[in-house]
Structure formats: C-alpha cells, structure tokens
Amino acid sequence: MGKIIIQNETTKDPISLIGREAGVCWGADISNAEKNYKRGMDCLVSGHGRTWEYPQVYVVMDGYSARVFRELYTHIGGGPTRLQASTRYINYEKGFDYVIPPTIDESEETRNIYTGAMDDILSAMKKLEALGMPREDIGMLLPLGMCSKVVLRTNLRNLIDMSHQRLCTRAYWEYRNLMKDLMNALSEYSEEWKYLVDNYFVAKCDVAGFCTEKNSCGRRVKYEN
Ligand SMILES: Cc1cc2nc3c(=O)[nH]c(=O)nc-3n(C[C@H](O)[C@H](O)[C@H](O)COP(=O)(O)OP(=O)(O)OC[C@H]3O[C@@H](n4cnc5c(N)ncnc54)[C@H](O)[C@@H]3O)c2cc1C
C-alpha cells in the first residue's frame, strides 16, 4: 500500500496566495484576507491558469511501484522537480518490496506464480552479488513492480491537469489510486486544498462534458464528429 506525505513546505492557503499575488498586479489592498480569498476564487473561476502555478506542493510518495512513477515522470507541466530512491544500494539480504495487483492477489494460484517470479529474481540477484558483480549492474534485474519512493515538487496547475488524465477510468489502476491518495492527503492538509480537490480535481470527461477516449468506459457519452 502506497503512502502520501504532504510536506510542510507546501502552500497552506493556495486560494488566498493566488489572490495575494494577483492583487499585487492589480494594485489591490493585499492586507485584507477576505478580499485575497475572493480574488483567488475569481482567478480560479475565470481559468487564469498562470495564477494556479503559485501554490507549491512538496510531496513524498512512498511504496508505489516503479511502473507508476515512470508514468508520473511524463507529467512535465510546470517543470516539476523529482528525486527517486536509488536502485544501486538495495540490501539483497532483506530483498525488495513489490506491488501485487489486486487481480493477481485474488487467488492463491496466481499470487504464488507472481511472488515466485519475484523470489526467482531476488535469488538471481543474490547469486550475482556472491560472484562479485557490481550492485548497479545487478539492479538491472529489478522489476517494474518493485516499490519505490519519490519526492516531488510541483504546483496546483500541474496537479489539476494530472487529475484530468489520471482519474479517467481507463488510466492505469495504480495511478488512479495514487491520485486519490494524493487528493485525500491534500484535503486533510488544509480547508483551501479540500475546496480545490472537491471542485477542480476531476476526470477529463467531467471537464469536457463527454468522453474523449477512443475506448470509452461509458461513464459519459462519447463525442462523435
Ligand atoms: C487512458 C490513458 C492511457 C494512457 N496511455 C499512455 C501510454 O500508453 N503511454 C504513455 O506514455 N502515456 C499514456 N498516458 C498518459 C498521457 O498520455 C500523458 O503522457 C500524461 O498524461 C502526461 O502528459 P500530459 O500532457 O497530460 O501532462 P503534462 O506534461 O504535465 O502537461 C500538462 C499540460 O501542459 C501543457 N504542456 C506541457 N508540455 C508542453 C509543451 N512542451 N508545449 C506546450 N504545452 C505543453 C499542455 O497543455 C498539457 O496538457 C495515458 C493516459 C490515459 C488517461
């Protein structure tokens, strides 16, 4: 099970921050908290996307697969900064953690095949280690399902955009779960984040009003031209 930790460096009052920054350019009184919040809301409702880049998010994502992080890395909007746990310094005595997809975990037979394959990989790695092979080369055997950890710095705009893609029913199930874990963690971080998550973090079909995917899940009608 993956875990999301919102770090303290994350903007606590994203809507008010947007209002303060926009207010500077509009020559407004930015000492009034109520007006700042209202101005921030105006920027959101009007779709002034650049202002959504002021709220920063620093987040640790731990225990998700290297596969889902490979997908996370495709989201480059806003120039995110990311570091990922090294695959060079794994202690092979303890082995590595990995994600078991729920479908495979359902029956003993499929689970045993899956966990057996992971055991085989670990056993090969230990043999190579014993033969003096360098760890960075042995690490080539690590599977995409292995658990990893990422620390990400991004912004509100990028996360809203990410939610449109990753809340799509047809997106990879683990990313959908990660997205929902992130939304829950942000909602708990502050009331302003809860408002944003509740109102702006939606699947792309909810933005368009119809399904844009070639193969639709049927949640919304498909756009036909
Ligand atoms: C059902 C489904 C299946 C998918 N399958 C695959 C798959 O098989 N393989 C795969 O690799 N990915 C897949 N994806 C992921 C998806 O195609 C994107 O790679 C991913 O969502 C990140 O790219 P992005 O443009 O959405 O976000 P970002 O890169 O974060 O971009 C966000 C927004 O910023 C703007 N932007 C970003 N870069 C530029 C730029 N250079 N110039 C101008 N504007 C820019 C655009 O408006 C963009 O919408 C899938 C997604 C879904 C929902």
Side-chain angles (χ1 to χ4, degrees):
M1 244 294 273
K3 195 171 64 183
I4 297 282
I5 301 164
I6 306 294
Q7 294 178 292
N8 290 337
E9 291 77 8
T10 300
T11 307
K12 202 91 192 181
D13 56 349
I15 302 174
S16 301
L17 172 69
I18 290 172
R20 286 196 297 277
E21 301 305 325
V24 170
C25 295
W26 299 351
D29 171 17
I30 61 163
S31 65
N32 185 317
E34 209 174 308
K35 285 185 178 168
N36 288 336
Y37 183 86
K38 190 176 170 307
R39 204 179 302 112
M41 284 300 299
D42 287 346
C43 290
L44 284 159
V45 172
S46 306
H48 294 168
R50 276 292 174 226
T51 64
W52 307 4
E53 294 170 24
Y54 286 118
Q56 298 296 296
V57 176
Y58 288 76
V59 55
V60 178
M61 300 170 162
D62 191 9
Y64 299 90
S65 72
R67 183 180 180 192
V68 84
F69 288 143
R70 193 179 68 165
E71 297 207 355
L72 177 81
Y73 273 47
T74 65
H75 291 270
I76 56 170
T81 304
R82 298 152 300 199
L83 286 177
Q84 184 163 6
S86 173
T87 54
R88 299 173 76 183
Y89 306 107
I90 286 174
N91 179 344
Y92 296 124
E93 289 310 312
K94 287 196 336 200
F96 55 84
D97 292 330
Y98 51 84
V99 172
I100 306 180
T103 49
I104 290 175
D105 205 25
E106 253 171 34
S107 92
E108 201 179 334
E109 186 183 8
T110 51
R111 189 172 55 247
N112 285 345
I113 294 170
Y114 188 86
T115 55
M118 294 296 181
D119 290 345
D120 287 346
I121 291 173
L122 183 62
S123 155
M125 293 176 99
K126 282 180 179 169
K127 284 181 195 160
L128 288 168
E129 169 113 332
L131 291 169
M133 294 299 105
R135 284 195 167 181
E136 68 176 356
D137 294 340
I138 299 171
M140 292 292 259
L141 284 173
L142 287 166
L144 273 178
M146 70 172 276
C147 289
S148 188
K149 188 196 283 194
V150 160
V151 56
L152 163 75
R153 195 278 302 140
T154 183
N155 63 45
L156 168 65
R157 187 181 195 180
N158 183 245
L159 290 182
I160 289 176
D161 199 83
M162 191 187 288
S163 74
H164 299 340
Q165 292 288 350
R166 303 303 179 174
L167 291 178
C168 172
T169 315
R170 296 206 32 93
Y172 171 42
W173 66 266
E174 194 190 359
Y175 210 136
R176 287 204 313 274
N177 288 351
L178 183 152
M179 199 69 228
K180 286 172 192 161
D181 292 345
L182 179 58
M183 288 160 62
N184 287 336
L186 283 171
S187 295
E188 283 171 17
Y189 187 66
S190 76
E191 274 305 307
E192 290 197 14
W193 274 108
K194 181 169 178 0
Y195 178 86
L196 292 168
V197 166
D198 288 349
N199 291 279
Y200 288 88
F201 286 55
V202 292
K204 55 188 173 181
C205 60
D206 290 330
V207 179
F210 51 83
C211 175
T212 57
E213 285 289 324
K214 183 163 171 262
N215 298 310
S216 179
C217 73
R219 186 168 168 262
R220 287 216 182 230
V221 290
K222 253 186 82 57
Y223 176 73
E224 308 285 356
N225 58 8

